[in-house]
Amino acid sequence: MKKRTVQSPLSRILTIALFGLLALGACKGKKKVVAAPEPAPVEEVKPTPPPPPAPGPSAEEVAVGKLENYFNSIASSSNNEAANRTIQEASGMFSNSNTPVLIVIHEESGIKDYDEPTTIDKYLNYLKDTKKNLNFISDIRLDSNGRVSELELRRKK
C-alpha cells in the first residue's frame, strides 16, 4: 500500500492557481472580430519646386558692360591701329554712327544740364585722342534690334 505524504497548503494553492490560469488562458473571448480601422489618410508632401533661377542680366546691363570695356580699351590703347579696330567693334553695337551721346555736366532737382551733344563716332575718336575715359554710362536706350539708340554719360568722381 502506498503511503500518502502530507502536502503543504502552499503547494495546493499553487497547483489550483496554475490550473486556474491555464483555464482562463485557454478560453476564447466572446468579442466579435472588428475590422481594423482604416488608417488616417496621409497627406502627400509635394516637394517644393526649386526657386526659379536668378534672372540673368538684362540686355541693357550686358550692353553697358561691353561698352565700358570698349571705352576703357580705346582709352588705354597703345597705338592707333588697335584703337581703330576696337572702335569698329564698338560701332557695331550702335544703331548708326550718328547715335547721340549726351554728357551730363550738372543735375539739380531732376533737371539735367548737358554738355554739347555729340555722336558716338566723335566720342569714340575723342577717347582715342585723349587716352582718358573720364565718364561712365548712366543711361542707355536700345532699339527694337537690341542696338544702342541713345547713350547718356556722367563724369566719374
Side-chain angles (χ1 to χ4, degrees), residues 82-100:
N84 287 335
R85 274 196 312 269
T86 307
I87 288 172
Q88 286 299 321
E89 287 178 33
S91 295
M93 292 186 64
F94 293 90
S95 56
N96 61 49
S97 62
N98 293 324
T99 299

Side-chain angles (χ1 to χ4, degrees), residues 133-149:
N133 183 14
L134 302 175
N135 301 311
F136 68 93
I137 299 172
S138 65
D139 190 24
I140 189 169
R141 295 207 176 99
L142 302 178
D143 62 10
S144 59
N145 297 326
R147 296 182 182 260
V148 179
S149 61

Side-chain angles (χ1 to χ4, degrees), residues 23 29 41-42 46 49 53-54 73 75 85 89 103 108 117 122-123 126 129:
V42 177
K46 294 180 181 176
S73 177
R85 274 196 312 269
E89 287 178 33
I103 301 172
E108 187 174 327
K122 289 179 185 176
Y123 183 72
Y126 166 80
D129 295 340

